[in-house]
Amino acid sequence: MTVYTQFDPLAAAAFVERRHRAAEELGLTLRVRRDFEALQREDAGGQAASRLFGAAGFDFVAGRAFWVEATDGDGRRVHQQAMRLEDLAGASAAELLERQLRRLFPGEAGAPPPGPLDCAPVLHRIRGRIVWHGEAWLAEAWRGRNLAGPLGELALGLALIEWRPDAVLGVASEPDTRRGYPLREGYHHCQPLGEIWRLAPSWLYSDDWINWVEAEDLVRLVNFDRSRSASPHPPRGRDSGAGAAPGGDSRPGG
């Protein structure tokens, strides 16, 4: 893609390292892992992975998936999120998602309307190499520290370095989306998911939104971060008219 002619891997590495360092300064230890059996084990701590990151539905071959684990000072898992790569070839993200949901959630859809289900318009447009971002979880004790944004951006940076995707997609609830949590994690765009949620009602909800970034967004995010870190602005004061973003954590990929 032509947008990646502007991509500087050193800037992307620095982007990831800044967020890595910020997490470590709070006492977290981060690891990038590729053993999805560990993510699935409920006795390992964290939150059990959904079917979109389950071995029953996907082969997590080397180079096409990873997950990020954060542990506290006692070695307990307190954060997780996962990424997997899909090459759509000539298909759209809407076609892929519908087929996967029908396969992964058989018999749970009830009686969806006949014919193709309505879904977010962007899913019909996005093609090529996409990354699905999900399984985001942060332990209750670590919430309210503005960690969700940096950790989400860290995963986006890792996906950018490893795969140069055309787009990264994730699902968030409507309340989280409207509060701007996905935006803090690097997601620049959002649309209501649409009726396709009916295919997986035990996992998706009627008010869920799809959030996404495309290749150009990812490159601009890294470049903007580099320029901002080179000449940072002083913090805004209370009289500037800009309110502080509320603390909290989202589920960028469900």
Side-chain angles (χ1 to χ4, degrees), residues 24-37:
E24 286 191 325
E25 288 171 354
L26 288 174
L28 295 179
T29 299
L30 268 60
R31 286 198 297 165
V32 175
R33 303 186 62 173
R34 301 180 190 274
D35 52 335
F36 276 79
E37 295 83 2

Side-chain angles (χ1 to χ4, degrees), residues 42-230:
E42 296 186 19
D43 62 344
Q47 181 171 278
S50 73
R51 297 183 206 181
L52 265 74
F53 282 87
F58 300 95
D59 294 320
F60 294 103
V61 296
R64 298 186 70 85
F66 67 82
W67 61 285
V68 178
E69 177 185 56
T71 53
D72 63 13
D74 296 321
R76 294 184 296 248
R77 186 189 303 172
V78 297
H79 168 70
Q80 65 189 43
Q81 57 182 314
M83 296 274 198
R84 63 176 173 82
L85 176 68
E86 297 272 9
D87 192 338
L88 299 178
S92 69
E95 294 174 79
L96 176 75
L97 183 58
E98 180 167 348
R99 291 174 186 174
Q100 289 182 344
L101 293 180
R102 289 188 186 278
R103 182 176 71 249
L104 294 170
F105 297 88
E108 296 185 30
L117 291 174
D118 169 69
C119 67
V122 68
L123 293 176
H124 293 285
R125 178 175 63 79
I126 288 179
R127 299 172 185 269
R129 288 160 58 85
I130 68 164
V131 173
W132 189 261
H133 184 188
E135 311 313 316
W137 170 80
L138 185 64
E140 188 75 33
W142 287 85
R143 297 178 187 179
R145 307 190 196 193
N146 292 322
L147 270 169
L151 290 171
E153 287 186 335
L154 179 142
L156 289 180
L158 290 172
L160 173 62
I161 292 169
E162 182 143 347
W163 294 317
R164 313 288 198 277
D166 292 285
V168 182
L169 306 172
V171 172
S173 70
E174 181 180 32
D176 280 351
T177 299
R178 291 191 180 278
R179 281 196 289 264
Y181 292 153
L183 179 61
R184 295 179 214 170
E185 296 163 357
Y187 286 87
H188 293 180
H189 314 285
C190 60
Q191 287 178 358
L193 186 60
E195 283 191 325
I196 201 169
W197 73 272
R198 292 174 180 269
L199 296 175
S202 64
W203 178 68
L204 296 172
Y205 299 89
S206 59
D207 62 351
D208 278 348
W209 287 54
I210 193 81
N211 293 269
W212 79 95
V213 284
E214 298 182 56
E216 182 179 8
D217 301 315
L218 290 168
V219 172
R220 285 174 58 83
L221 181 66
V222 166
N223 290 342
F224 175 72
D225 185 74
R226 175 175 56 184
S227 62
R228 184 173 56 182
S229 63

